[in-house]
Amino acid sequence: MLNIACMQYKVYNPCPALEKQVRYYWSLESNPDDLPHSRERIFPDGCIELIFNYRELFIKFENGIASHEQYRTMLYGQLKTFIEVEATGSVGLFSVRFNPAGLQPFINRDVGSLTSRELNITELWGDEGVQLEHDMLKCNSNEERVIIIETFLMQKLQTIAFDNSDVEYCVNALTESEGSITIDLLANQLCIGKRQLERKFNAAVGLSPKMLARIIRFQNTLQLIEKKEFTSFTGVAHDGGFYDQAHFIKDFKEFTGLNPKQYFSENLEMVKHFSFDE
């Protein structure tokens, strides 16, 4: 099985000029003896990932059936439910983990159009994407990859003008309030119409404010469960910001495909590397 606990997982901080857009970079590498592999579930977390795979490809599953090999380099739009993937061999991944509204300044398109999609890098940046993939995959270390991707992103940041301040304010408020602040209050604070703010938010984040709030609450409860900081499902639901246990179980099933009790019996070690708060 894919034993993430025995893998090398590293986090790299972005340069100060990219901190607003990039949460961090991460790499994951397996050892030669980590075969065979099992399927892993990845849950929604409110962030978009640009992943470079410099070893064996992964297979994506649809409705429990192997669907297709994933791209060598791919961008995952926002997730609204879980996905299932499986490594076919040696694992070597390097990822750019964007903040919820972090991708928008680097692309000339609506982020909402990418939601629930898996894109080849050429769909984002054409020939520039092809060259970036080539440069990233030929690197001898992930430290080199950080330098190359930051050079590329800084170039894009300087050529694409985009004011994201309203949306970034909302994302920060939702995160700090653990998903409890309302869109009405945010719209009032920004002196902007509620519907206009929702449109801007979805275009920049790829989710509605309400959906991001739900995901934040879900990830909060997931962290409590991982750390075993609860005594009952009712308690963890309350501490995670849910109105009641039924509300918690409904969202948990939607985002994971499992009820909370099933979750404890699954091997979901990979999820720790895709959590909203690192």
Side-chain angles (χ1 to χ4, degrees):
M1 75 189 299
L2 183 57
N3 191 348
I4 304 298
C6 296
M7 287 185 170
Q8 293 184 336
Y9 173 72
K10 294 183 180 179
V11 171
Y12 310 84
N13 294 322
C15 66
L18 291 171
E19 285 179 343
K20 187 182 290 186
Q21 293 80 29
V22 178
R23 179 154 296 189
Y24 52 79
Y25 313 102
W26 59 262
S27 63
L28 185 67
E29 296 184 350
S30 68
N31 298 312
D33 298 330
D34 287 338
L35 297 175
H37 300 300
S38 64
R39 264 181 276 174
E40 302 288 342
R41 292 192 182 202
I42 309 302
F43 302 155
D45 58 22
C47 294
I48 292 175
E49 303 271 0
L50 175 61
I51 301 174
F52 298 87
N53 187 338
Y54 50 90
R55 291 188 181 166
E56 301 300 320
L57 295 178
F58 277 64
I59 294 175
K60 185 177 181 182
F61 287 76
E62 303 280 358
N63 299 317
I65 300 172
S67 172
H68 61 273
E69 278 192 333
Q70 295 185 307
Y71 297 120
R72 176 66 60 186
T73 301
M74 59 193 165
L75 182 129
Y76 269 117
Q78 291 282 8
L79 299 178
K80 292 184 175 182
T81 188
F82 72 94
I83 61 172
E84 288 187 299
V85 298
E86 181 178 327
T88 61
S90 179
V91 175
L93 303 175
F94 179 90
S95 179
V96 182
R97 171 167 250 269
F98 292 99
N99 284 314
L103 176 65
Q104 180 70 83
F106 304 108
I107 62 175
N108 278 314
R109 63 194 295 181
D110 188 326
V111 175
S113 67
L114 312 179
T115 299
S116 301
R117 293 183 59 198
E118 175 187 324
L119 287 82
N120 189 303
I121 195 169
T122 58
E123 296 180 67
L124 287 177
W125 295 304
D127 291 341
E128 288 180 299
V130 173
Q131 185 61 52
L132 175 62
E133 178 181 76
H134 176 266
D135 293 343
M136 291 289 284
L137 297 183
K138 74 176 184 180
C139 288
N140 294 317
S141 71
N142 286 310
E143 287 74 15
E144 289 181 33
R145 292 186 176 95
V146 171
I147 294 171
I148 289 173
I149 192 62
E150 292 211 322
T151 300
F152 178 86
L153 292 176
M154 285 299 301
Q155 212 168 23
K156 285 293 178 188
L157 197 60
Q158 293 164 5
T159 57
I160 299 177
F162 194 89
D163 181 9
N164 238 3
S165 55
D166 285 355
V167 175
E168 289 167 352
Y169 176 88
C170 292
V171 169
N172 290 336
L174 286 167
T175 303
E176 290 171 5
S177 69
E178 298 185 339
S180 65
I181 195 168
T182 66
I183 184 65
D184 297 277
L185 180 56
L186 290 171
N188 288 336
Q189 290 175 348
L190 293 168
C191 299
I192 187 175
K194 176 182 175 181
R195 289 187 179 181
Q196 183 183 357
L197 180 57
E198 288 176 331
R199 285 195 297 270
K200 289 184 67 174
F201 195 97
N202 190 69
V205 176
L207 298 169
S208 69
K210 182 178 180 180
M211 176 59 78
L212 181 60
R214 290 176 60 199
I215 290 172
I216 290 172
R217 288 194 295 269
F218 159 70
Q219 284 289 339
N220 286 342
T221 60
L222 196 63
Q223 291 298 312
L224 292 173
I225 290 172
E226 290 288 348
K227 295 174 183 177
K228 297 182 173 59
E229 295 180 354
F230 66 98
T231 56
S232 68
F233 288 146
T234 301
V236 77
H238 179 268
D239 291 344
F242 289 93
Y243 298 118
D244 53 38
Q245 185 179 1
H247 184 197
F248 160 60
I249 292 174
K250 176 181 177 295
D251 276 10
F252 201 96
K253 284 183 177 180
E254 182 175 335
F255 293 140
T256 70
L258 305 166
N259 65 46
K261 289 184 179 179
Q262 288 174 316
Y263 176 83
F264 288 102
S265 66
E266 295 283 336
N267 180 6
L268 299 171
E269 190 72 26
M270 180 177 268
V271 172
K272 294 179 182 178
H273 302 300
F274 289 81
S275 59
F276 191 84
D277 289 316
E278 178 65 14

